[in-house]
Amino acid sequence: MRREPEDKQRDAERTKQRIVQAAVEEFAAKGFAGARVSAIADRAGVNKQLISYYFGGKEGLYRELTSQWQSTESGFADPSLSLGELVAGYVRANAANPAFGKLLVWEGLREGEPAQEFVADMRRNVEALRERQRLGELPSSLEPEAVLVALFAMAAAGVAFPQIVRAVYGEDPASPEFAERYASQVEALLGALAAG
């Protein structure tokens, strides 16, 4: 029996999705440098040649993960939200998708300079914080660069410091209960900062 072209397309999409899910797990566990294409292929239950075929190799697969995170991010990172609501959204997203948060932590542990695209994105974030300062949402006495670094640390606390979360809260940092409790506190903290 001959398979229809759309069946082949669905199989290809399912295979790609299995590879992406396996890559998220492998990169989250070992970082980019430690992750191996063969281990990703084993996790996905596919031939490792398919990673090159579909994604152009390890780097292309990592770019695909970055693209998927950005797509997820666009669903909750509305710049019109208050700063507290925005950061609380990142807290919830990190708890719901801890592997993506771990990718960012691993990226920070890599040697070398950050990619120019990443630098440009961070500089846009600093300018957005300057605009929030002009609008009175942040005190003018604070450096937007320092605020941005602190916000990233706050949003990633459950992923980057799970041992601290467990010690202080006695909760699983990936649980929805912790995410909601902590997100509401981050939002309140930033709201108090805005009220100054």
Side-chain angles (χ1 to χ4, degrees):
M1 176 185 244
R2 234 176 112 199
R3 288 177 26 180
E4 295 298 319
E6 56 270 4
D7 289 340
K8 289 181 184 178
Q9 181 62 32
R10 278 194 295 271
D11 285 348
E13 288 305 315
R14 281 193 291 268
T15 299
K16 283 196 246 183
Q17 198 49 44
R18 281 199 335 263
I19 292 169
V20 166
Q21 185 56 46
V24 167
E25 294 166 10
E26 186 71 11
F27 284 128
K30 299 177 182 168
F32 181 83
R36 299 287 174 254
V37 170
S38 58
I40 294 168
D42 288 347
R43 280 182 189 252
V46 301
N47 183 306
K48 72 179 185 177
Q49 301 305 329
L50 286 176
I51 293 171
S52 291
Y53 178 75
Y54 288 129
F55 302 101
K58 184 175 167 181
E59 291 81 9
L61 185 52
Y62 195 82
R63 281 192 301 275
E64 175 63 23
L65 298 183
T66 301
S67 174
Q68 286 199 8
W69 169 250
Q70 289 168 342
S71 179
T72 300
E73 187 179 35
S74 69
F76 66 83
D78 181 350
S80 69
L81 295 172
S82 73
L83 192 57
E85 292 169 321
L86 187 62
V87 178
Y90 278 95
V91 169
R92 291 181 186 102
N94 278 328
N97 304 294
F100 280 114
K102 288 178 184 179
L103 294 178
L104 187 61
V105 172
W106 274 110
E107 189 71 28
L109 296 174
R110 276 176 45 174
E111 295 293 321
E113 294 297 314
Q116 288 303 311
E117 183 179 305
F118 181 78
V119 171
D121 190 38
M122 290 301 107
R123 290 191 176 145
R124 282 189 294 275
N125 288 337
V126 168
E127 289 310 311
L129 287 175
R130 280 191 214 292
E131 181 59 25
R132 287 179 185 271
Q133 273 183 318
R134 283 190 276 279
L135 296 172
E137 193 175 358
L138 283 173
S140 60
S141 59
L142 297 176
E143 289 183 1
E145 296 85 353
V147 172
L148 184 62
V149 171
L151 295 178
F152 267 92
M154 272 190 231
V159 171
F161 307 110
Q163 74 281 23
I164 294 173
V165 170
R166 285 186 186 98
V168 172
Y169 279 94
E171 294 182 43
D172 177 3
S175 72
E177 295 79 18
F178 166 74
E180 199 49 49
R181 182 176 174 192
Y182 181 62
S184 67
Q185 287 300 295
V186 166
E187 188 173 345
L189 175 69
L190 293 171
L193 185 64

